[in-house]
Amino acid sequence: MGCFECCIKCLGGIPYASLIATILLYAGVALFCGCGHEALSGTVTILQSYFEVVRGPLDTLDVFTMIDIFKYVIYGVAAAFFVYGILLMVEGFFTTGAIRDLYGDFKITTCGRCVSAWFIMLTYIFMLAWLGVTAFTSLPVFMYFNIWNMCQNTTAIEGVKMCLDLRQFGVVTISEEKKLCTETEKFLKMCDSNELDLTFHLFVCALAGAGAAVIAMVHYLMVLSANWAYVKDACRMQKYEDIKSKEEQELHDIHSTRSKERLNAYT
């Protein structure tokens, strides 16, 4: 029973809400970063193979340079939120232990409440950032959906001529004309290739990962807000118990003093 009680106590101290939010955050960030990185690599292949877009000099800011920047941003996002998830889990264990061991040796400090409030503000900012990332990720999904729709209409209806101009999406400058029409062999080859279908679905998965990260941030906000409120109420209860114990001790001392005085007066 001793080992069983120890296991129950350990399981009772796990912040399950923070654990679920952390798992959801890691899954969303991994899906966004992994699929987004591979989708950007597939975009480079499509631009070079079918649209014949050439990489410019190193000092120019073209679409390939922007893709490389996005890849480095993905690396930073993956590392940063891996660390942030660990910090939130530690804060969850700290808050759970603070509430559970309120009347033990562990004391809740003002610093702990300030840390919880800081995490609430930081998580709210990250939630807004992930909302922006989700909106930004929906743009390539919309672009690839249009291309995929053009491929479907071309194969379904013969004699329909449509052209895809990269200038519509801001991929190239207005002076450059990178157009691919449905009657060309490269367009049909692109529609039949695995790069287009795979890249489109990778961007969809990256969008789903960004949405999962937003849900995880909202979950974290609820958990952190609830923990902060519990800790605040627990601090007030602790102060009340301290004041009550002091008053009872003072009353006990007064009664003891009076009893001694009466005994001395009687003797």
Side-chain angles (χ1 to χ4, degrees):
M1 288 300 293
C3 183
F4 178 76
E5 291 177 356
C6 181
C7 292
I8 294 298
K9 186 177 180 180
C10 291
L11 292 176
I14 297 176
Y16 291 101
S18 298
L19 180 62
I20 293 173
T22 303
I23 294 174
L24 184 61
L25 176 64
Y26 282 168
V29 172
L31 195 62
F32 170 77
C33 294
C35 294
H37 183 275
E38 293 302 317
L40 290 174
S41 300
T43 301
V44 172
T45 303
I46 291 174
L47 291 177
Q48 291 178 341
S49 300
Y50 303 106
F51 290 93
E52 298 181 354
V53 181
V54 181
R55 183 184 291 270
L58 296 177
D59 56 346
T60 59
L61 186 63
D62 56 359
V63 62
F64 297 107
T65 305
M66 293 297 298
I67 289 175
D68 292 337
I69 293 174
F70 289 149
K71 286 184 178 180
Y72 286 115
V73 170
I74 285 175
Y75 300 150
V77 167
F81 279 93
F82 175 77
V83 176
Y84 190 66
I86 294 177
L87 292 177
L88 289 178
M89 274 298 298
V90 171
E91 196 275 340
F93 277 105
F94 168 80
T95 307
T96 303
I99 295 172
R100 190 173 302 278
D101 301 330
L102 178 61
Y103 301 105
D105 296 331
F106 187 82
K107 297 295 183 181
I108 302 172
T109 61
T110 305
C111 180
R113 283 178 289 168
C114 292
V115 169
S116 297
W118 171 254
F119 273 123
I120 291 174
M121 183 185 67
L122 199 61
T123 304
Y124 182 77
I125 295 174
F126 283 151
M127 183 197 69
L128 296 179
W130 275 109
L131 282 175
V133 171
T134 304
F136 182 78
T137 310
S138 63
L139 296 179
V141 173
F142 176 73
M143 293 168 55
Y144 274 97
F145 176 76
N146 288 334
I147 298 174
W148 178 80
N149 197 19
M150 288 177 61
C151 292
Q152 296 296 319
N153 292 332
T154 302
T155 56
I157 304 175
E158 297 181 357
V160 178
K161 181 179 180 180
M162 294 180 290
C163 293
L164 180 64
D165 196 345
L166 293 182
R167 292 178 295 183
Q168 300 175 0
F169 306 105
V171 177
V172 295
T173 59
I174 299 177
S175 59
E176 300 181 58
E177 185 177 355
K178 298 296 181 180
K179 185 183 296 184
L180 194 62
C181 296
T182 56
E183 296 179 348
T184 59
E185 182 181 354
K186 284 188 176 181
F187 186 86
L188 297 176
K189 187 178 179 181
M190 181 185 67
C191 292
D192 295 334
S193 64
N194 293 325
E195 288 87 358
L196 179 63
D197 188 66
L198 181 60
T199 304
F200 173 54
H201 287 88
L202 285 174
F203 271 120
V204 172
C205 292
L207 179 62
V214 172
I215 297 174
M217 291 292 105
V218 174
H219 196 167
Y220 269 129
L221 278 177
M222 293 188 294
V223 172
L224 291 171
S225 300
N227 289 342
W228 185 81
Y230 291 153
V231 170
K232 186 177 180 180
D233 292 339
C235 289
R236 291 178 179 177
M237 183 63 67
Q238 182 178 353
K239 291 180 181 179
Y240 171 75
E241 292 294 335
D242 291 340
I243 294 173
K244 184 179 178 181
S245 62
K246 289 181 181 179
E247 291 179 351
E248 290 177 353
Q249 185 64 35
E250 290 176 357
L251 290 174
H252 182 268
D253 294 340
I254 292 172
H255 285 301
S256 298
T257 304
R258 288 181 179 178
S259 297
K260 291 180 181 179
E261 291 177 353
R262 289 176 183 177
L263 182 61
N264 292 333
Y266 178 76
T267 56

